[in-house]
Amino acid sequence: MDDLLRISDILKKYKEEKYKSNHNDEKKPAPEEANLRQKPHISIYSAVAKDLGENQETNINAQALYDEALSRIKEIYTRGETKKTNGDFYSLVLPTIEKLADALIAGNRELLRYSLSDYSQMSEYLFAHPVNVCIISLYLAIGLDYPRSRLIELGISALIHDVGMPFYAQIVNQGRILNNAEFARVKEHPQQGYDVLQEIGKGLSPIIYETVRQEHERWNGSGYPLGLKAEQINPYAQVVGLVDVYEAMTHTRPYRRRHNAMEVIREILHHKDAFNSSYIKVLIERIGIFPVGWIVQLNTKEIAVVVKANPRMPLRPVVDIVMDSSGKELQTPKKINLAEDAAIYIEQCLECLMVKNK
C-alpha cells in the first residue's frame, strides 16, 4: 500500500490542462454541478491528458458538456416528481444528447473517462449515474455501428432510464443493504418511470418509453417488471440494462465500495445468461479489462496509464509509460501499443488495488 501511495503522490504533482485556450471564454460550470463528477484521483501531465481525450481538433469542452448533462437530468427529475409538463420535453433533452453523441463519434475519450470515474458526493449519485450510463451506452452503440438517429434515441433512453427512481430516493440513499420489502418497493421504479413519462414526455418515440420500463429485464427472463426474455426486450433496453449494471458496480454506493473493472467483468460473465452475449463482447472490446485512464504496472516494472483500448485484444491496451522501472518520472511519456509488443504485458492493475484499499 505504501508503494501505491508513493506512486499516487508522484503523479499528483502533474496537472492536467482542463481548459484549452479555445475554451477560456466559456462559462464555467456551477460548483455544485462540477463536484458531482470526480476526476481520477491520480493526475496525469498534459501530454497524457491529450492522449486521454483532450481533443482540440473537435473543439469539445468535455467538462462543460458533462455538466450540461447533469443539469438536464436534474431538470428532468424535477419535472418527473412535480409532474410539470411545461415546455417541450424532447427539445429539452435533444440538444444535449446530440452533443454527447457527436463528441463520442468524433473520438473524444475524455467524456468516457469522466463516466468511469467515481462520484465525489454520494448524496448526488442519482444524477451522475444516468449521465454515466448515457455516455457509456452511446460509446458501446458506436461500436455496434448504430446510425446517428438510433444513437440519439438510445442516448435519450439512457439518460432518462431512472426517471422513476427519485420517488424512491429515501430508500436507496440509506447507508446499508436494503431489506426485502425495501427492494420490492425500489423494483417499482421502471414502471413508475414509464408512467411519469406518459405525463411529462409527450412526443417521445414509443421505444424510449419501453426502454425505461424494460431496462431491468434480463435475457434469461429473470428481470422485472414484466419478466421478458431474449428478443422480447428491445435492443436499447438490452444495452442500457447491461451498462446500468456495469456503471453501478464500478461506482461507489452508500452501502459499499466500488468494484474494479476486472471484478465487474468477471461478475457479468458469471451471469452471462442474463445479458445478450454480443453486447457483453462489445462492452469488453470497447471499454476493455483495463479502462482508459487507469494506472497499471508492466512486467518491465514501469508504471503506465491506459490511454486507449484495443478492441480485438482487451488485455493489451495502448499505454503511456509515465515512470521507469526505478520509479523515476518521465518528462515525456513513452507510448506503447501492447498489442504490437508481445514481450511487454500488464503485470498488475494499480488502479484496481487503489480502488480496493479506498
Side-chain angles (χ1 to χ4, degrees):
M1 186 60 184
D2 290 340
D3 289 340
L4 296 180
L5 292 175
R6 180 181 64 83
I7 292 169
S8 179
D9 288 340
I10 290 174
L11 292 174
K12 277 180 180 178
K13 292 193 300 184
Y14 297 97
K15 302 296 183 181
E16 293 179 89
E17 297 176 353
K18 290 303 173 188
Y19 288 98
K20 303 299 181 181
S21 58
N22 58 336
H23 294 144
N24 286 340
D25 295 331
E26 293 189 20
K27 181 181 178 182
K28 293 185 179 180
E32 65 273 15
E33 292 171 4
N35 286 336
L36 298 187
R37 189 231 337 107
Q38 177 185 353
K39 303 285 182 60
H41 59 276
I42 296 179
S43 296
I44 301 110
Y45 45 89
S46 58
V48 177
K50 189 177 297 184
D51 284 337
L52 288 171
E54 293 288 352
N55 196 332
Q56 297 186 60
E57 287 74 18
T58 57
N59 196 30
I60 296 166
N61 185 336
Q63 176 176 318
L65 185 49
Y66 188 100
D67 292 332
E68 178 183 321
L70 285 171
S71 295
R72 290 295 167 271
I73 198 61
K74 282 184 175 182
E75 185 170 352
I76 290 166
Y77 280 5
T78 298
R79 287 191 182 193
E81 289 181 283
T82 60
K83 305 292 179 68
K84 288 184 177 180
T85 57
N86 56 305
D88 178 41
F89 187 87
Y90 189 67
S91 298
L92 172 66
V93 296
L94 180 61
T96 300
I97 298 301
E98 286 184 323
K99 284 186 272 189
L100 288 171
D102 290 342
L104 292 167
I105 290 171
N108 184 281
R109 294 193 300 277
E110 188 74 352
L111 281 169
L112 180 64
R113 192 163 67 95
Y114 287 172
S115 69
L116 296 174
S117 301
D118 206 8
Y119 319 128
S120 61
Q121 296 183 14
M122 279 312 306
S123 61
E124 305 287 357
Y125 85 90
L126 288 179
F127 301 121
H129 168 71
V131 174
N132 293 343
V133 170
C134 176
I135 293 170
I136 300 172
S137 294
L138 286 170
Y139 188 71
L140 260 59
I142 291 171
L144 292 166
D145 294 325
Y146 272 31
R148 188 176 182 275
S149 60
R150 294 191 70 198
L151 286 175
I152 300 305
E153 282 188 331
L154 172 67
I156 294 174
S157 303
L159 185 65
I160 63 176
H161 79 275
D162 265 350
V163 69
M165 188 62 81
F167 294 89
Y168 308 91
Q170 287 189 327
I171 298 177
V172 298
N173 280 330
Q174 298 179 93
R176 60 172 175 78
I177 297 176
L178 304 184
N179 60 40
N180 290 340
E182 290 168 334
F183 185 55
R185 286 287 315 283
V186 172
K187 286 171 67 175
E188 299 170 1
H189 81 270
Q191 184 63 50
Q192 178 73 48
Y194 177 86
D195 293 341
V196 165
L197 284 179
Q198 300 298 312
E199 298 189 44
I200 70 168
K202 304 293 185 183
L204 292 177
S205 168
I207 196 172
I208 295 176
Y209 297 125
E210 287 303 324
T211 299
V212 170
R213 181 159 60 176
Q214 294 181 9
E215 64 101 4
H216 278 285
E217 303 289 351
R218 294 295 177 257
W219 191 257
N220 59 6
S222 64
Y224 59 88
L226 302 175
L228 304 179
K229 59 172 24 178
E231 299 298 344
Q232 293 176 325
I233 309 166
N234 82 62
Y236 297 168
Q238 292 179 39
V239 172
V240 175
L242 175 61
V243 173
D244 179 56
V245 170
Y246 181 86
E247 198 280 348
M249 293 188 68
T250 54
H251 290 75
T252 305
R253 285 294 182 268
Y255 58 90
R256 63 154 171 81
R257 68 167 177 85
R258 63 188 294 215
H259 298 283
N260 68 62
M262 288 191 290
E263 291 175 329
V264 175
I265 293 297
R266 187 182 301 117
E267 186 67 15
I268 288 174
L269 290 175
H270 182 68
H271 298 282
K272 60 184 179 182
D273 60 337
F275 304 100
N276 186 322
S277 60
S278 63
Y279 294 166
I280 296 177
K281 181 175 181 289
V282 172
L283 174 68
I284 295 173
E285 289 177 345
R286 295 284 284 172
I287 305 296
I289 305 299
F290 305 106
V292 169
W294 282 45
I295 314 300
V296 296
Q297 179 178 296
L298 306 179
N299 63 312
T300 58
K301 306 308 177 185
E302 297 166 303
I303 304 302
V305 180
V306 178
V307 296
K308 185 179 180 181
N310 272 318
R312 297 183 182 278
M313 303 182 72
L315 291 173
R316 290 185 163 274
V318 179
V319 301
D320 275 357
I321 297 175
V322 294
M323 295 173 61
D324 66 20
S325 58
S326 64
K328 182 180 178 182
E329 310 162 42
L330 301 184
Q331 296 304 310
T332 301
K334 177 184 176 183
K335 186 183 302 296
I336 294 181
N337 186 342
L338 297 180
E340 299 175 353
D341 195 333
I344 303 177
Y345 56 87
I346 293 175
E347 188 171 70
Q348 64 176 329
C349 176
L350 300 184
E351 185 81 11
C352 299
L353 297 177
M354 290 173 183
V355 166
K356 283 188 174 183
N357 286 282
K358 282 182 69 176

